[in-house]
Amino acid sequence: MSPRLTYPGVYVQEKPSGVRTITGVATSTTLFVGMARSGPLEEPVAIRSVDQFEQIFGADTGYGEMVAQMRQYFLNGGGEAIVVRIASGASAASVTLRNSAGTEVLVLTARSAGVMGREIRAMVDYDTPTPEISFNIELFRRSIDANGATVISEAEFFGDLSMDPASPRYAPVVLSQNSALVTAALPDPAFTPDGEGFSQSGLILPADDTDALDRISTALAVGNRLSVAVAGGVAVPVVLPMPGASLAAWLGQVSDAISAALVAFGQPGGVEASLAPFGTGRALRLTATPVAPESVVVTAAAQADASRALHLGSAAGGVEISVHARFRPAPTGFTTALHSLEDDSFAAASDFARLISFATADRATLTGWTLADGEGGAPVSSVAAPAFPEGGTTFLEGPASDAPEGALRNTARHLDALAASLATQLGTLWNVRRFGLRLSLSPRFGSSNTGAGATLTTAGGLDLGAATGMAHAVRAANVGAYALGSSGAGAFQTPGAA
């Protein structure tokens, strides 16, 4: 501003010269554009060390000169590099996984475009606390080293995943946010599940109403409380009414008690109690209402728990089905089924048809087994009868229930014994496990497509691989691992881009 001229004299006024000082810029940052074996394509990435570069873009010098240049850069004092990976026509390998009915349900796409994507494998199993609701995915990279040996690297495990968009473990979100190998998405975001979700007791009740009421009264004398969650909500405590003179009236009272508890705790939906046929008997079923793609999960109450005595909840020997579980990828390896419905809806009289045929069969009809791996190898057989637990003659019978109708906890114990028998001779070649009420065998060695044509047959009249057993001639056998790219085989994956 101009000075105030208050008296005669010389006044000095300073004005900016208009010259701007040039701010110094870092000269230790360099842009690298070139080829690499892995990493984001056509996207700038800040790199501050050789180790960081090799972790993202790889250390293979056969894909251009950038690896050697990067090492020289940091060796000679470079501080930061901006790296842009380029490749002409490169695409990301992918695979679309199918459920056990053959419906496409989940697309896995390699994060890095190029040939490394075709080394990624995915294994799926149902070995979770709720084996008919959730699933696990193991991701890894399989390659051949300089000695010709198969090398497994960059293994990732994501457990207890769900195909329910409302679940905090929703598979497409969990995988896309946390996996360094793949992203995941639905092949058709518009599909809408149907059917019903429910929790069914593993305690088989008599066909006669009076006898069934007596069994329920005996169970509730131990405890009369449950913890119930619907649609992935908060588990709420429920006090069950004691049975009166009418079985139908008691079922109505149970429905009202659970639904009222859900409302009291601000939880969505309600529950309807009913009896579902199971063999010559019936089982208590808690179904989410209104009929919607929901789940019902029963866990033990903090006190006076009735779940164990009623065999309600997966941990207590029951079976819990979520409608969204229909859209789980099929498990890899050889896995038995619970039912015969191609759509897996569990909404008809044939619910659990395959499980029932096994559970109610005479144990003497399973005296040996033969597994063929589907790749032309010699079948592995055992003519010896598995060492089943004592008690009863069918797979439903045993110490978990002293009633003739039996319980699925006994069936699970018999499946454990059968798995132990299989593992005795297959343990070096196959992993043998029980997922809930399913038997699962997965190959330890061989190519990704090993096991796609596997068959499991049993002697003595009960054939696990036939319509009268627990397996399904088409759906039981799957590949050992799903393969990204174009090399995957079998009925449960759609190969993607090479």
Side-chain angles (χ1 to χ4, degrees), residues 48-92:
R48 292 177 175 82
S49 69
V50 173
D51 289 341
Q52 184 185 10
F53 172 83
E54 292 182 351
Q55 182 180 7
I56 298 174
F57 295 97
D60 196 328
T61 57
Y63 286 82
E65 301 178 359
M66 192 156 59
V67 173
Q69 293 170 350
M70 190 62 60
R71 291 171 179 170
Q72 290 293 323
Y73 174 72
F74 284 107
L75 182 64
N76 287 278
E80 181 179 43
I82 305 299
V83 177
V84 179
R85 179 192 176 210
I86 59 172
S88 177
S91 60

Side-chain angles (χ1 to χ4, degrees), residues 185-436:
L186 300 182
D188 181 5
F191 71 71
T192 54
D194 55 9
E196 56 190 26
F198 58 84
S199 177
Q200 181 165 312
S201 169
L203 178 67
I204 311 305
L205 300 172
D208 179 78
D209 284 2
T210 301
D211 293 340
L213 274 173
D214 289 342
R215 293 293 307 279
I216 294 169
S217 297
T218 301
L220 292 181
V222 176
N224 66 333
R225 296 174 184 267
L226 298 175
S227 183
V228 181
V230 174
V234 175
V236 304
V238 179
V239 178
L240 298 179
M242 291 299 292
S246 168
L247 180 59
W250 180 77
L251 292 172
Q253 292 166 1
V254 170
S255 303
D256 294 341
I258 299 177
S259 298
L262 291 168
V263 171
F265 281 83
Q267 296 302 297
V271 167
E272 179 181 355
S274 63
L275 294 180
F278 195 95
T280 59
R282 299 171 291 177
L284 177 63
R285 176 180 288 192
L286 305 179
T287 304
T289 58
V291 175
E294 311 290 6
S295 60
V296 180
V297 175
V298 176
T299 52
Q303 58 181 351
D305 176 55
S307 67
R308 187 72 181 172
L310 286 175
H311 299 223
L312 272 171
S314 297
V319 186
E320 295 181 327
I321 304 291
S322 165
V323 176
H324 286 286
R326 291 179 51 207
F327 295 94
R328 295 180 297 174
T332 45
F334 184 100
T335 306
T336 59
L338 304 186
H339 48 83
S340 299
L341 297 176
E342 289 295 333
D343 64 358
D344 302 350
S345 66
F346 289 93
S350 55
D351 287 0
F352 303 113
R354 294 186 181 278
L355 175 61
I356 292 171
S357 69
F358 175 82
T360 57
D362 194 316
R363 297 187 309 184
T365 61
L366 205 165
T367 56
W369 50 263
T370 300
L371 177 78
D373 66 10
E375 290 201 335
V380 180
S381 301
S382 172
V383 295
F388 292 124
E390 296 295 328
T393 60
T394 72
F395 295 102
L396 267 178
E397 296 177 277
S401 172
D402 55 3
E405 293 80 12
L408 289 178
R409 283 213 297 262
N410 294 323
T411 305
R413 295 174 68 248
H414 286 98
L415 285 172
D416 285 335
L418 178 56
S421 173
L422 289 162
T424 298
Q425 295 191 39
L426 295 175
T428 58
L429 300 174
W430 293 68
N431 289 307
V432 185
R433 292 176 290 175
R434 172 177 63 85
F435 303 155

Side-chain angles (χ1 to χ4, degrees), residues 167-195:
S167 169
R169 299 294 298 167
Y170 183 46
V173 172
V174 171
L175 293 172
S176 295
Q177 290 183 349
N178 297 284
S179 174
L181 296 175
V182 303
T183 60
L186 300 182
D188 181 5
F191 71 71
T192 54
D194 55 9

